[in-house]
Amino acid sequence: MGTLFKSELMSRCQLYLPPEAAYNCVAELGELGLAQFVDLNPDVSAFQRQFVGEVKRCEEMERTLRYVETEIVKEKVGIADESEASIPAPAPREMVELEASLTTMENNLREVNINYVALRKNHLELSELKNMLRKTEVFLSENQLNLQELDENTRLLDADTSEREKDIEDQTYSSMKFNITGGVIDRARLLAFERMLWRVSKGNVFLKVAEIDEQMEDPGSGDVLNKAVFIIFFQGEALRSRVKKICEGFHASVYPCPDSGVERREMLCGVDTRLSDLSTVLTQTTEHRHRLLVAAAATLRSSYVKVRKMKAVYHVLNMFSQRDGGRVLIGEAWLPTADIPDIRAAVNTGAQTAGATIPPTIEKVHTTEQHPTFNRTNKYTGGFQSLVDAYGVNTYREVNPSVYTIATFPFLFAVMFGDAGHGAIMLTASLWMIIKEKSLESKRNISEIFNIFFGGRYIVFLMSIFSIYTGLIYNDIFSKSFNIFGSHWSSKQMSFVATNSTPLSLGMSYMLDPKDNNSYHSEPYPFGVDPVWQSATNKIGFLNTYKMKISLIFGVIHMTFGVMLSLWNKISKKLYHQIFLEFIPQIVFLLGIFGYLVTMIFIKWVMYGANKADPFSEHCAPNLLITFINMMLMKKADVDIKMDKCHTSLNYEIYMYPGQDELQKMLLLIGVLMVPIMLLGKPLFIMYRRRQARARYDSLRDELLEPQQEEGGPAEEDFGEIMINQGIHTIEYVLGSVSHTASYLRLWALSLAHAQLSEVLWSMVMRIALASFKGYAGAIALYLIFAFWCMLTISILCLMEGLSAFLHTLRLHWVEFQSKFYEGAGYLFMPFSFRESLKQAAEDDKEVLKTIAK
């Protein structure tokens, strides 16, 4: 049977590859992506394997590429995208060339970066020196350094009064008896720097500070630096050493400051000249660095793909074992049986490319090990398969419920979410994601929530289609109804004349009575519910009974289908005894009790009606809930006084058909008898088979021969454990049949809640705009209130209610449906594929780039 209904047939095969062609053969299998390799060296550490050297070289090349990528991202250079499929895994001999080119690229880039940082550091020092000289010139030339103020404020000058009265313009600072130290410091450290100077010198220094307006950057990191120029005036050699140590402690840059103004101006001119030359060199270095990064960015992605493919191939080759002195490499892998010819062709192609003289060989190996599960999916079925795998991967060759989930999941969702208007909104969103899927594929990881919606776009599409269908069945479109075919109800006999006894008010609603032939034509509405029910006072009572009954019908059909699928599993595993000891009792129990309830619903719908005469009028129809309870309690139905005359002309009193009481008792008795069969049948059969096996081998007296196991396990399971497990499964099925049937009533409950919430939102929001405002103010209010109504409709009714219905539908499939047949104890087939490994690496790259960007 195809993989649509069951997982693919898998085979464990041995691959015999010549060493010179092993790399190319594995590379071809990586492109094909259909082989899951098995590690034949589980006890060997990663550092003792044959190709560990090649793996380390690939990791070193990957580190080099990461460094180059970091520099490219910092420089904001665009990286060229290339198709991964068009880049083959490089040959082993190309590894040396690729390694050499990457090493050269890294060395050139590091050398340029070192020179660039050194030049920027030199430029920063010259800029600081330039600002220091300019600020110092301003400090010392302002008022020609009023010595009177210096003497009074700092107590640094010991010259006599005659010297102070000399012409200040003729003085030179070199004749003064104090020293000057100038430099640049970070503004954040300035306050602590000034406090430390004051405490160490005991107030015998004079500090002058000015902020640098020019924006500076750190040569290494490129961070913005806020610095300030300082000048310190002091006396004595003792203070000189202390000031120097304080400057070093606060990482302040100290620069020479000539005493003469002429020397300062000459030094400033020299600094400007050096800065101009250095700016030219920096520009050329920046351009050269940019050219290197652009050239690296052009081949970065292709180099990444090549290195990662090589690394993946050598990782797989490390799983191989050697034989005949290394003349052959042997590996084992799980392969889809249907794809073995394609795999053989790929391996032969790799051997021919490598020029091997010995052809590779693939042989099947018999094994009792559990096979991996491989379900072929596409972008349409992948979402539904993910829903099933989230519960548990189906066991090898077990019935795959995802194919049935494609139809049942959106339908049960739509039963709860039945509104054509809300379904149209979901349809628009899903169609947008489907039409734009190629452009949105690269942006799906911008948000985790959007990634989930985009991955399930086809699920949302089907759910919206079914929601529109059920919405038309319910005739519910934004809590309103469409009169497409014309209502089959008439208002000719309804009185619209107000009297004292029967006053008439606007907006009054009337109860619909199908028994009135003048109001109802006894012909059903062609499609769905008649729109007149939307305004009837007994609308909820009518729709409630309808939705509740169809919920039970859908639930019993869904569970019965799950039990039927268990028959397929038992036949495929050749467990024929379980058909008679498990399947038949289960299906009889389920249909004999709950299938009978569904049959009673249809009987009641067919036999009774409002336009039929007694005993088949609507008030003569028995209550199915009371009937079902009486059946379970084996209690005779009580005669209702109001229904006493309903069955006087018939022989079967209060029942719907002759022999109903006897049939119900027989069905209940049969259902009860199925319980001990389910409980004891399988354990007793296993005991019988074991006794047969022991009797058959008793005469052999050979300890090496073990009795055959019923379940094929390595050792016999204790009979007590078998009884306990079977008892748990029996109790779970019997009680689960009751609880699961009741659980399907959530279809009715959520449908009612969704319809009522939609109606409340319309009456509390849109109705206000339509009824309360008039004129131009009404138009503006309608515009604003409509926007508010749309926002609430999308956020609450479509998103929140849709998510609620989705989760309830998921529970119905996982618990109520799949528990009847689905084991889910398998493990996924994880083939060696370049596409998957590169995809995972790309996701890791995005995380790294986010870190770099921060």
Side-chain angles (χ1 to χ4, degrees):
M1 186 62 66
T3 187
L4 188 64
F5 300 97
K6 283 188 177 183
S7 60
E8 286 277 354
L9 284 171
M10 304 296 295
S11 299
R12 183 159 180 167
C13 299
Q14 278 190 343
L15 290 80
Y16 299 88
L17 305 179
E20 66 275 10
Y23 178 92
N24 296 79
C25 293
V26 174
E28 290 293 334
L29 293 178
E31 298 290 351
L32 197 59
L34 290 173
Q36 176 179 329
F37 288 92
V38 180
D39 191 359
L40 299 182
N41 309 300
D43 299 328
V44 181
S45 65
F47 300 99
Q48 296 177 343
R49 304 207 174 196
Q50 181 181 3
F51 299 96
V52 63
E54 285 78 2
V55 173
K56 288 182 178 180
R57 291 171 64 185
C58 292
E59 290 178 348
E60 179 63 22
M61 288 189 286
E62 197 170 6
R63 183 204 58 78
T64 302
L65 290 171
R66 183 74 66 198
Y67 167 74
V68 175
E69 185 179 19
T70 302
E71 297 299 322
I72 291 173
V73 172
K74 288 181 180 179
E75 193 68 17
K76 298 181 180 180
V77 176
I79 300 176
D81 291 330
E82 294 189 28
S83 176
E84 299 173 351
S86 61
I87 304 174
R93 59 178 177 275
E94 297 179 16
M95 186 177 185
V96 178
E97 300 176 2
L98 182 61
E99 190 176 15
S101 63
L102 292 179
T103 303
T104 303
M105 182 192 302
E106 182 188 17
N107 293 337
N108 292 339
L109 191 56
R110 286 189 182 277
E111 183 180 358
V112 170
N113 284 340
I114 292 172
N115 295 335
Y116 182 71
V117 171
L119 290 172
R120 290 189 64 185
K121 184 177 180 181
N122 195 7
H123 187 274
L124 176 64
E125 293 174 353
L126 290 175
S127 298
E128 291 178 350
L129 177 59
K130 175 183 174 182
N131 282 277
M132 192 273 294
L133 291 174
R134 285 182 176 178
K135 299 295 182 182
T136 303
E137 183 66 23
V138 174
F139 293 161
L140 299 181
S141 63
E142 185 179 8
N143 298 325
Q144 291 298 317
L145 188 59
N146 194 320
L147 299 181
Q148 180 68 28
E149 295 179 1
L150 285 176
D151 183 44
E152 294 177 356
N153 295 334
T154 65
R155 297 181 286 110
L156 292 173
L157 303 178
D158 296 328
D160 57 5
T161 307
S162 60
E163 291 176 347
R164 298 174 185 172
E165 293 176 352
K166 287 182 180 180
D167 188 8
I168 298 177
E169 294 181 357
D170 297 331
Q171 294 178 5
T172 60
Y173 302 119
S174 61
S175 66
M176 296 181 183
K177 296 181 180 180
F178 60 87
N179 301 317
I180 301 175
T181 298
V184 178
I185 191 173
D186 193 351
R187 294 181 194 174
R189 301 187 180 128
L190 191 58
L191 184 61
F193 179 69
E194 185 175 0
R195 186 182 298 113
M196 182 62 69
L197 282 173
W198 178 264
R199 290 178 178 177
V200 170
S201 66
K202 300 180 181 179
N204 289 316
V205 297
F206 179 77
L207 178 66
K208 192 71 175 178
V209 179
E211 295 183 356
I212 298 177
D213 299 329
E214 180 182 354
Q215 185 176 359
M216 297 182 178
E217 293 183 356
D218 186 90
S221 62
D223 298 334
V224 177
L225 301 176
N226 297 315
K227 294 196 172 186
V229 174
F230 66 88
I231 300 178
I232 306 173
F233 299 90
F234 58 90
Q235 273 188 323
E237 293 299 324
L239 277 181
R240 180 190 297 273
S241 61
R242 294 179 184 177
V243 169
K244 182 178 179 182
K245 291 180 180 179
I246 292 172
C247 292
E248 291 176 355
F250 281 87
H251 301 285
S253 301
V254 179
Y255 296 101
C257 180
D259 296 335
S260 171
V262 176
E263 293 178 356
R264 287 195 299 272
R265 285 188 287 273
E266 290 179 355
M267 180 180 286
L268 184 61
C269 292
V271 169
D272 288 336
T273 303
R274 291 172 61 188
L275 275 175
S276 177
D277 297 338
L278 192 59
S279 298
T280 303
V281 176
L282 265 175
T283 302
Q284 294 176 352
T285 304
T286 303
E287 292 176 353
H288 177 57
R289 180 173 180 270
H290 184 75
R291 286 194 296 271
L292 287 177
L293 293 177
V294 170
T299 60
L300 181 67
R301 290 296 174 223
S302 60
S303 299
Y304 258 133
V305 172
K306 291 178 181 178
V307 171
R308 284 168 176 166
K309 284 187 176 182
M310 280 194 297
K311 182 180 176 182
V313 170
Y314 284 120
H315 267 302
V316 172
L317 289 176
N318 278 331
M319 299 181 184
F320 281 57
S321 63
Q322 295 185 5
R323 287 189 186 177
D324 297 335
R327 289 181 295 178
V328 62
L329 290 177
I330 300 177
E332 290 190 7
W334 292 104
L335 308 177
T337 305
D339 296 317
I340 290 180
D342 296 335
I343 295 173
R344 290 183 190 274
V347 171
N348 290 330
T349 300
Q352 292 174 2
T353 304
T357 56
I358 302 175
T361 305
I362 299 178
E363 294 181 358
K364 291 184 180 181
V365 178
H366 177 72
T367 179
T368 57
E369 184 181 347
Q370 184 180 4
H371 293 42
T373 300
F374 177 39
N375 297 303
R376 296 186 193 271
T377 58
N378 50 37
K379 61 183 180 181
Y380 174 74
T381 60
F384 295 97
Q385 187 65 53
S386 298
L387 292 179
V388 175
D389 291 342
Y391 176 80
V393 179
N394 51 312
T395 309
Y396 176 67
R397 297 299 291 170
E398 184 182 18
V399 172
N400 185 13
S402 63
V403 61
Y404 313 107
T405 304
I406 295 175
T408 59
F409 191 92
F411 177 73
L412 293 182
F413 170 86
V415 173
M416 293 181 278
F417 195 78
D419 190 297
H422 301 154
I425 294 175
M426 292 177 56
L427 178 63
T428 303
S430 61
L431 283 177
W432 174 73
M433 289 188 288
I434 291 173
I435 295 173
K436 299 288 185 178
E437 64 181 12
K438 290 185 178 180
S439 59
L440 294 175
E441 182 69 32
S442 58
K443 305 175 183 177
R444 60 183 303 174
N445 292 322
I446 58 176
S447 171
E448 185 176 356
I449 296 178
F450 177 75
N451 189 19
I452 294 173
F453 278 107
F454 182 77
R457 58 192 180 277
Y458 289 99
I459 300 177
V460 178
F461 173 74
L462 278 184
M463 291 192 305
S464 62
I465 294 294
F466 278 83
S467 296
I468 294 174
Y469 169 75
T470 55
L472 295 176
I473 291 292
Y474 297 155
N475 209 340
D476 196 353
I477 305 172
F478 295 118
S479 77
K480 299 300 173 185
S481 58
F482 281 175
N483 191 1
I484 302 175
F485 302 102
S487 175
H488 286 206
W489 290 78
S490 175
S491 60
K492 295 179 181 179
Q493 302 299 321
M494 294 182 182
S495 176
F496 293 96
V497 179
T499 62
N500 293 332
S501 59
T502 59
L504 184 68
S505 60
L506 294 177
M508 181 181 293
S509 56
Y510 294 89
M511 180 178 290
L512 298 179
D513 186 6
K515 185 169 57 177
D516 187 359
N517 294 327
N518 295 319
S519 300
Y520 182 57
H521 304 312
S522 299
E523 295 178 2
Y525 194 67
F527 185 80
V529 178
D530 197 298
V532 75
W533 283 103
Q534 193 64 239
S535 58
T537 56
N538 56 338
K539 176 188 73 171
I540 295 181
F542 168 73
L543 292 179
N544 265 1
T545 57
Y546 165 70
K547 292 182 179 180
M548 182 174 64
K549 290 181 176 63
I550 65 171
S551 298
L552 290 174
I553 294 171
F554 292 151
V556 173
I557 293 175
H558 201 209
M559 291 189 296
T560 304
F561 181 62
V563 177
M564 296 298 296
L565 289 178
S566 69
L567 174 62
W568 192 358
N569 278 333
K570 292 174 174 54
I571 294 175
S572 62
K573 295 179 181 179
K574 298 181 180 180
L575 301 175
Y576 301 113
H577 65 279
Q578 293 187 10
I579 298 176
F580 299 97
L581 301 177
E582 283 189 346
F583 167 72
I584 293 179
Q586 287 177 355
I587 198 70
V588 170
F589 179 85
L590 181 63
L591 294 182
I593 297 177
F594 300 101
Y596 175 73
L597 176 61
V598 172
T599 304
M600 295 286 288
I601 293 175
F602 282 101
I603 292 175
K604 185 176 179 180
W605 279 346
V606 173
M607 292 182 60
Y608 297 89
N611 296 322
K612 294 183 179 181
D614 291 340
F616 299 109
S617 60
E618 81 282 2
H619 66 275
C620 290
N623 189 308
L624 291 182
L625 180 59
I626 301 300
T627 302
F628 188 70
I629 293 175
N630 291 333
M631 172 185 170
M632 299 304 295
L633 298 178
M634 299 188 71
K635 176 183 176 183
K636 188 174 182 180
D638 298 329
V639 178
D640 192 347
I641 299 177
K642 297 179 181 179
M643 300 173 58
D644 190 29
K645 298 181 180 180
C646 288
H647 301 281
T648 54
S649 60
L650 300 175
N651 297 325
Y652 44 92
E653 299 177 352
I654 60 174
Y655 295 105
M656 289 188 288
Y657 55 88
Q660 180 178 347
D661 185 35
E662 291 76 10
L663 178 61
Q664 291 178 171
K665 291 179 180 179
M666 183 184 68
L667 291 176
L668 181 61
L669 180 61
I670 294 175
V672 172
L673 291 177
M674 294 299 106
V675 176
I677 297 177
M678 288 187 284
L679 177 62
L680 302 174
K682 182 177 176 181
L684 293 178
F685 181 79
I686 293 176
M687 179 184 291
Y688 171 73
R689 289 286 298 271
R690 286 181 178 178
R691 288 183 176 179
Q692 276 191 331
R694 290 191 184 100
R696 188 180 304 116
Y697 292 101
D698 186 53
S699 60
L700 298 177
R701 307 295 185 183
D702 191 346
E703 295 180 357
L704 296 177
L705 295 177
E706 296 180 356
Q708 293 182 352
Q709 305 295 322
E710 172 63 21
E711 302 297 332
E716 286 188 357
E717 188 177 2
D718 185 69
F719 183 75
E721 294 181 1
I722 295 175
M723 283 296 301
I724 293 174
N725 291 332
Q726 191 64 23
I728 292 173
H729 289 307
T730 302
I731 295 173
E732 180 184 7
Y733 181 82
V734 173
L735 298 182
S737 298
V738 180
S739 62
H740 292 174
T741 303
S743 180
Y744 278 92
L745 290 175
R746 70 183 70 237
L747 300 173
W748 155 59
L750 265 74
S751 176
L752 175 64
H754 185 80
Q756 291 303 305
L757 188 60
S758 179
E759 185 173 352
V760 168
L761 186 62
W762 178 276
S763 60
M764 297 296 291
V765 179
M766 281 300 296
R767 192 171 183 179
I768 297 175
L770 296 174
S772 302
F773 299 96
K774 296 181 180 180
Y776 293 105
I780 299 175
L782 179 61
Y783 180 81
L784 297 176
I785 293 177
F786 177 75
F788 182 65
W789 175 80
C790 288
M791 181 187 69
L792 293 180
T793 298
I794 294 175
S795 60
I796 297 178
L797 295 179
C798 290
L799 291 178
M800 294 181 61
E801 282 285 305
L803 179 60
S804 175
F806 179 88
L807 294 177
H808 282 282
T809 308
L810 195 60
R811 181 242 155 78
L812 290 177
H813 280 78
W814 281 359
V815 180
E816 279 73 18
F817 174 58
Q818 292 180 190
S819 64
K820 301 295 184 294
F821 68 96
Y822 192 63
E823 184 179 0
Y827 65 98
L828 283 176
F829 173 63
M830 305 291 291
F832 167 60
S833 172
F834 286 147
R835 181 180 178 183
E836 293 299 324
S837 60
L838 292 175
K839 182 179 179 181
Q840 183 63 36
E843 294 178 358
D844 296 339
D845 288 343
K846 291 181 180 179
E847 297 297 328
V848 173
L849 291 178
K850 288 180 181 178
T851 306
I852 296 173
K854 293 178 181 180

